[in-house]
Amino acid sequence: MHSPAHRCRDIERQAGYLQPEHCAPPPPRGAVDGMWFIRDGCGIVCGVITWLLVFYAEFVVLFVMLVPAKSLVYSFINGFLFNTLAFLALASHGRAMLTDPGAVPKGNATKEFIESLQLKPGQVVYKCPKCCSIKPDRAHHCSVCKRCIRKMDHHCPWVNNCVGENNQKYFVLFTMYIALISLHALVMVAFHFLYCFEEDWTKCSTFTPPVTVILLILLCFEGLLFLIFTAVMFGTQIHSICTDETGIEQLKKEERRWAKKTKWMNMKAVFGHPFSIAWLSPFATPDHGKADPYQYVV
């Protein structure tokens, strides 16, 4: 009987132990360079609902609260701020949904590829039996994406994608901007209710008083719900980045086998080098450095 350590050495020294002949060849290069999009019914519905809820908030903010307001300056400032944050939130959502989160090449567990790694004594590789790929350290298989994802944090149906090494920045920005527009909408609803109580309800909105109240209550409920949800998610994501430990690694209590870095270095690894205003932009692709995507357990 061999110990687990001996079995690991067998994997390292014998490419045949991984049964690479059972793996289909990886797809052609051109077939994997297209736009990343997960064809999951639940995720697509959740993504559409997200956009519809933002558009509903836009409608209520503009046509129920800002257009009827007496102060043009008040309407312009709040309209510009809300629309800017909403645009950044939707742009971040789009980038998080359509960016490859760090998928490991499918079907690369071939004998030639394993031998080309030129592993040193003590290094171990693992083959994913589901997508037939060689898994880098800290990669996990997603049953929805049907791929192994590098530094996978979790699969989020609201962005119809995994949150991984390449799109975590966009997901964090999405939660931040949604929390900000939710807070902004709640503040404007509170001021509008006060304004309507002081003035005639028929003059504080272009809609009838019952319709105005229903629209504002629905927006208040939506804003409060998403403020709590996204603020908590934003906090957990920042904590995971600072501790350099993904949600799956925390859940599985996996042993830490990677080098420990400072919190600031971990932030720059996700949002890009060096620190700049681009950290807040969903259109700026972060520079993750020249780290080797294939890191193996020693």
Side-chain angles (χ1 to χ4, degrees), residues 13 29 42 45 72 100 140 143 156 190-191 209 218 225 270-271:
R13 291 175 179 172
R29 187 67 181 171
C42 176
V45 170
L72 182 61
D100 181 350
H140 294 85
S143 59
C156 179
F191 277 109
L218 289 176
L225 181 65
V270 172
F271 291 95

Side-chain angles (χ1 to χ4, degrees), residues 25 40 62 119 127 132 145 208 221 243 272:
D40 175 58
L62 291 178
L119 299 174
K127 168 190 167 185
C132 220
C145 297
T208 61
F221 177 76
T243 58

Side-chain angles (χ1 to χ4, degrees), residues 99-133:
T99 299
D100 181 350
V104 178
K106 199 172 184 178
N108 69 348
T110 61
K111 184 175 181 180
E112 294 76 13
F113 180 78
I114 297 170
E115 292 175 346
S116 70
L117 296 176
Q118 297 180 345
L119 299 174
K120 300 177 181 178
Q123 288 183 310
V124 179
V125 296
Y126 296 99
K127 168 190 167 185
C128 176
K130 298 176 182 178
C131 62
C132 220
S133 62

Side-chain angles (χ1 to χ4, degrees), residues 57 60-61 64-65 74 182-197 201 212-213 215-221 223:
V60 176
V61 167
V64 178
M65 293 188 287
Y74 172 85
S182 299
L183 178 62
H184 189 200
L186 288 173
V187 172
M188 285 192 290
V189 167
F191 277 109
H192 198 72
F193 265 121
L194 292 175
Y195 169 68
C196 290
F197 281 129
W201 274 86
T212 300
V213 172
L215 291 174
L216 291 177
I217 289 177
L218 289 176
L219 178 61
C220 189
F221 177 76

Side-chain angles (χ1 to χ4, degrees), residues 34-48 50-51 91-104 140-172 174-175 229 233 237 248:
M35 183 181 69
W36 177 271
F37 182 75
I38 302 302
R39 294 174 177 82
D40 175 58
C42 176
I44 294 173
V45 170
C46 288
V48 172
T50 300
W51 281 63
S92 300
H93 182 271
R95 290 298 303 270
M97 179 170 59
L98 301 177
T99 299
D100 181 350
V104 178
H140 294 85
H141 186 85
C142 175
S143 59
V144 180
C145 297
K146 296 180 175 59
R147 297 287 290 275
C148 285
I149 307 296
R150 295 194 301 270
K151 290 187 69 175
M152 175 181 169
D153 187 87
H154 68 288
H155 184 92
C156 179
W158 294 105
V159 298
N160 188 34
N161 202 359
C162 276
V163 178
E165 183 177 74
N166 293 342
N167 69 341
Q168 188 172 26
K169 171 194 173 179
Y170 309 126
F171 181 76
V172 172
F174 167 67
T175 59
F229 177 75
M233 185 60 70
Q237 285 294 301
I248 289 183

